[in-house]
């Protein structure tokens, strides 16, 4: 309050002295400096919003693309590029805002889309001659380095379930070839033979769960292993359907729900099961000693060829969830 009243009083005295002809050597103090208004900091950059209504956790997966590291990153070799939901050296981060020709989340319907053009030369992963746009589970993504897959696997010491709802949007129509595409898997770590692959074979053929009765360690080939399949209902392109793949210490259960009809097949470890070819097979109990991860997306079973330009697989999901309990 003192500063506000003293300045006008001093000014009045000075004016009086000037009016009377008096002089003074006293310097008139400068007008009080008013501090500038506080600068408003720039608006904080807000990270992209997560898709709160989406039925998946994008941080739980990494994505393999149907394009090489050389083509995507400009370096890294001719194997398939990956997007990972973490800050990994030299990698593009996977998120719900990722928008590539091979993968995107649609703003209008909030479905997750996967696409592969079989006319592109593409790039493959180890032990495969096919390209893919496919998610690979990161089991320990919250506690261990998601930039590496070596510790991102689970053992069959509890129940593990992959549940997906999806729709075949487009599929190639190539003379003499069924439009085979794998849309869900359980794969063992560093094992060439998949435990189970769920495959759509076209609108006029049943969905199949393709299994291997046994395996060879260290990514080796296995001459004695036998592949077999069981059927799980037929669904047309454009129709929404659902699948569950469950693994526990009792065995595997694979279920589809199509047009309100549920089909389920259970395969107990070590017990014979009647397969599509009319023969009996059993899953070796040695599978129980391995570690695993789920996969979801599209893994076409047709080799790319420049003659297949614009022969496209496109599949959308509105649910991909995992439970470990």
């Amino acid at each position: 309050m003192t500063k506000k009243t003293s300045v006008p009083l001093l000014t009045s005295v000075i004016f009086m002295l000037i009016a009377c002809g008096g002089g003074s050597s006293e310097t008139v103090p400068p007008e009080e400096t008013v501090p500038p208004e506080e600068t408003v900091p720039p608006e904080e950059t807000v990270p992209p919003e997560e898709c709160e209504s989406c039925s998946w956790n994008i941080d739980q997966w990494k994505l393999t693309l149907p394009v090489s590291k050389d083509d995507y990153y400009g370096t890294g070799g001719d194997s398939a590029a990956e997007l990972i939901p973490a800050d990994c050296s030299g990698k593009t981060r996977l998120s719900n805002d990722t928008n590539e020709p091979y993968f995107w989340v649609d703003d209008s319907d909030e479905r997750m889309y996967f696409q592969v053009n079989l006319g592109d030369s593409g790039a493959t992963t180890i032990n495969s001659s096919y390209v893919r746009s496919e998610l690979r589970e990161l089991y320990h993504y919250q506690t261990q380095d998601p930039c590496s897959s070596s510790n991102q696997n689970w053992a069959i010491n509890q129940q593990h379930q992959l549940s997906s709802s999806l729709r075949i949007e487009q599929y190639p129509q190539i003379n003499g070839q069924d439009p085979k595409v794998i849309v869900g898997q359980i794969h063992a770590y560093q094992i060439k033979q998949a435990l189970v692959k769920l495959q759509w074979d076209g609108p006029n053929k049943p969905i199949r769960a393709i299994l291997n009765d046994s395996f060879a360690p260290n990514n080796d080939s296995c001459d004695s292993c036998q592949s077999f399949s069981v059927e799980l209902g037929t669904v047309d392109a454009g129709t929404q359907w659902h699948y569950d793949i469950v693994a526990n210490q009792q065995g595997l259960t694979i279920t589809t729900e199509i047009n309100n009809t549920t089909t389920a097949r259970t395969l107990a470890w070590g017990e014979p099961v009647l397969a599509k070819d009319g023969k009996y097979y059993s899953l070796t109990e040695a599978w129980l000693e391995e570690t695993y991860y789920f996969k979801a997306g599209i893994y076409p079973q047709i080799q790319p060829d420049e003659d297949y330009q614009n022969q496209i697989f496109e599949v959308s999901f509105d649910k991909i969830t995992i439970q470990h309990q």
Side-chain angles (χ1 to χ4, degrees), residues 65-239:
L65 299 177
V67 60
S68 73
K69 294 173 184 175
D70 279 346
D71 288 339
Y72 192 82
Y73 290 111
T75 185
D78 58 3
S79 61
E82 292 181 337
L83 306 184
I84 300 175
D87 291 324
C88 302
S89 177
K91 299 290 185 182
T92 299
R93 186 165 187 162
L94 173 66
S95 75
N96 285 317
D97 295 300
T98 298
N99 187 0
E100 299 289 347
Y102 335 101
F103 173 88
W104 69 94
V105 177
D106 193 272
D107 291 335
S108 60
D109 60 13
E110 292 188 341
R111 297 178 72 91
M112 183 185 288
Y113 284 79
F114 301 83
Q115 187 181 103
V116 168
N117 186 340
L118 294 175
D120 295 340
S121 58
T124 64
T125 56
I126 188 171
N127 298 325
S128 177
S129 57
Y130 303 118
V131 299
R132 66 185 84 203
S133 177
E134 187 180 39
L135 297 172
R136 191 270 198 210
E137 180 191 9
L138 301 173
Y139 177 55
H140 292 295
Y141 72 96
Q142 291 179 306
T143 58
Q144 297 185 26
D145 182 12
C147 300
S148 170
S149 300
S150 59
N151 294 313
Q152 297 292 343
N153 314 296
W154 41 265
I156 305 181
N157 53 9
Q158 55 182 337
Q159 180 160 298
H160 311 269
Q161 179 170 333
L162 169 65
S163 299
S164 297
S165 296
L166 65 154
R167 186 170 65 213
I168 309 296
E169 302 285 352
Q170 296 184 62
Y171 63 92
Q173 300 184 42
I174 301 171
N175 289 335
Q177 294 208 51
D178 290 334
K180 300 176 180 180
V181 61
I182 293 166
V183 294
Q185 296 191 61
I186 296 179
H187 219 288
Y189 181 62
Q190 291 188 335
I191 300 295
K192 186 174 183 177
Q193 300 77 32
L195 175 56
V196 57
K197 299 180 289 190
L198 191 66
Q199 181 170 292
W200 185 79
D201 285 340
N204 302 313
K205 293 190 175 183
I207 297 163
R208 290 186 296 146
I210 303 170
L211 306 107
N212 281 286
D213 66 345
S214 189
F215 62 92
N218 302 317
N219 279 324
D220 286 340
S221 298
C222 180
D223 294 335
S224 62
C225 298
Q226 298 182 87
S227 176
F228 65 98
S229 66
V230 294
E231 296 181 342
L232 290 154
T234 303
V235 63
D236 201 351
T239 298

Side-chain angles (χ1 to χ4, degrees), residues 11-32:
T11 304
S12 299
V13 173
I14 294 170
F15 282 151
M16 289 173 62
L17 290 171
I18 294 173
C20 296
S24 174
S25 61
E26 184 178 357
T27 303
V28 179
E31 192 173 330
E32 183 178 5

Side-chain angles (χ1 to χ4, degrees), residues 293-312:
Y293 50 91
F294 286 118
K295 305 192 82 174
I298 61 172
Y299 181 28
Q301 299 298 285
I302 301 173
Q303 288 188 356
D305 191 295
E306 60 181 11
D307 292 337
Y308 297 158
Q309 194 58 239
N310 298 321
Q311 295 283 0
I312 289 172

